Amino acid sequence: VNQILLLLLVLTVCAILYNKVHQVPSALKNETVDLETPEEMEEEIPVVICAAAGRMGAAVAAISSIYSNTEANVLFYIVGLKTTIPHIRKWIENSKLKEIKFKVVEFNPMVLKGKIRQDASRPELLQPLNFVRFYLPLLIQKHEKVIYLDDDIIVQGDIQELYDTKLAPGHAAAFSDDCDLPSTHEMVRSVGMQNTYMGFLDYRKQAIRDLGISPSTCSFNPGVIVANMTEWKHQRITKQLEKWMQRNVEENLYSSTLGGGVATSPMLIVFHGKYSTINPMWHIRHLGWSPDTRYSEHFLQEAKLLHWNGRYKPWDYPSVHTDLWENWFIPDPSGKFKLTRPDS
């Protein structure tokens, strides 16, 4: 017995010495090796942002603001068209954003063929990347929960907070109600914005009346979405959205002359009464609706997320609260994207 115990002791000492001799200093370890535990992997926060031609500075500023205000493990999915992907990749890799975790995803606009009714009044709303949010499960496949953000936003809070938004059982997504924040009501009234279904759907059409949705029902804004991919696929949300896009092509049920163009309206129909809500301070919007109407600086400092939805974008002129946006903008190393300012 003593000999066996002695042998076991010798083997243990040898194993310890072997490990010490062959241990790799942490500074020399391959950085690409995944050393995260399963628990840490679950905490990865996927954030989807589009990088459209002519607006890439918006995506860069949004990403910069998110990355700078969180310690969370964020993975950015940057969605673009084939022609724009090299530009956004070069911008990121040649700026301080080279430290972020990101994947560039190509969106094929052919999936939209025959599903968009052409409308010349606001052609920018018909750009293919406006419909990326319809196809989240096709683009992002390994995550249970996903955040989608429009490019004309700035995040001032910790994105972990938004990711932790609770979705009720059976809900595929969470949005911000357009009637949710009293502080924005005066802004809405002053510039004549619509915040009900009447502003998005044509109630003269029988197909809309047949939905049984009151025209005074409060609308929601799909520029910020927290989505459950399992529910989205289970409920075939993408197919439902495509059905209403197709019906609009045939029957002109809504148009970009109305409040939110052709991307908001099908979502209002499909998600009516079946969505959870986002904390109102996580989506302060209408900053791009008028070049004259402003929120108080104190209110904006308290906001977690700012959204310049509307025509007047913070990288163009005229626009409001541009200082809050420029805090996070990173100049284009290639010089292609330039801010439009009064003295430029």
Side-chain angles (χ1 to χ4, degrees), residues 41-288:
M41 288 298 290
E42 289 174 6
E43 289 300 312
E44 188 172 68
I45 298 177
V47 176
V48 179
I49 294 181
C50 296
R55 299 172 59 116
M56 287 191 195
V60 166
I63 292 168
S64 171
S65 70
I66 296 166
Y67 179 66
S68 301
N69 286 306
T70 188
E71 296 294 326
N73 181 20
V74 181
L75 172 59
F76 293 97
Y77 283 87
I78 303 168
V79 186
L81 302 181
K82 187 174 183 178
T83 54
T84 61
I85 283 175
H87 186 187
I88 192 67
R89 185 184 292 278
K90 182 178 178 182
W91 197 331
I92 290 170
E93 292 176 349
N94 289 277
S95 72
K96 67 179 183 181
L97 292 181
K98 63 187 176 185
E99 303 295 333
I100 70 171
K101 290 171 60 178
F102 74 100
K103 293 183 179 180
V104 176
V105 181
E106 180 183 343
F107 182 68
N108 185 352
M110 289 305 293
V111 300
L112 301 172
K113 188 174 181 181
K115 299 184 182 76
I116 302 177
R117 185 184 184 90
Q118 297 303 311
D119 193 314
S121 61
R122 289 194 66 185
E124 74 275 13
L125 296 177
L126 302 177
Q127 295 303 313
L129 295 182
N130 280 339
F131 301 91
V132 161
R133 72 198 88 187
F134 290 15
Y135 297 94
L136 292 176
L138 302 181
L139 298 168
I140 316 301
Q141 297 178 356
K142 73 169 188 170
H143 301 282
E144 167 74 11
K145 197 174 186 183
V146 172
I147 294 174
Y148 167 87
L149 299 174
D150 276 354
D151 60 359
D152 51 356
I153 63 99
I154 287 296
V155 172
Q156 300 186 136
D158 186 341
I159 198 72
Q160 180 77 54
E161 244 182 80
L162 180 60
Y163 185 74
D164 290 340
T165 298
K166 301 295 184 187
L167 273 68
H171 286 177
F175 306 98
S176 292
D177 278 325
D178 284 332
C179 310
D180 61 5
L181 200 61
S183 303
T184 66
H185 293 176
E186 185 178 342
M187 170 80 82
V188 170
R189 287 193 298 270
S190 67
V191 296
M193 281 181 288
Q194 291 285 345
N195 60 2
T196 66
Y197 273 57
M198 176 67 84
F200 297 86
L201 304 178
D202 188 347
Y203 276 83
R204 295 171 300 179
K205 302 296 173 67
Q206 188 62 44
I208 298 301
R209 294 198 299 271
D210 288 346
L211 291 169
I213 303 173
S214 168
S216 62
T217 301
C218 185
S219 53
F220 59 81
N221 187 300
V224 176
I225 307 173
V226 181
N228 180 310
M229 293 292 93
T230 300
E231 280 295 336
W232 193 292
K233 288 181 279 191
H234 175 70
Q235 297 179 33
R236 298 169 62 84
I237 296 294
T238 297
K239 288 294 182 185
Q240 291 187 60
L241 291 167
E242 287 185 324
K243 182 191 83 169
W244 284 103
M245 292 169 73
Q246 191 69 54
R247 289 198 67 175
N248 183 58
V249 170
E250 298 162 359
E251 304 174 48
N252 195 22
L253 304 176
Y254 46 85
S255 76
S256 59
T257 56
L258 296 172
V262 293
T264 297
S265 300
M267 300 198 85
L268 291 177
I269 295 172
V270 171
F271 284 101
H272 173 254
K274 296 186 292 186
Y275 66 92
S276 299
T277 55
I278 292 171
N279 180 331
M281 296 306 287
W282 267 100
H283 195 176
I284 301 303
R285 43 211 180 275
H286 314 317
L287 277 77

Side-chain angles (χ1 to χ4, degrees), residues 298-328:
H298 174 72
F299 176 67
L300 293 181
Q301 292 298 330
E302 295 294 315
K304 304 286 189 177
L305 183 148
L306 306 176
H307 188 184
W308 279 262
N309 58 313
R311 296 174 183 267
Y312 303 97
K313 305 302 185 186
W315 55 90
D316 281 335
Y317 181 83
S319 55
V320 295
H321 303 296
T322 53
D323 55 323
L324 295 174
W325 184 85
E326 281 193 52
N327 283 340
W328 307 108

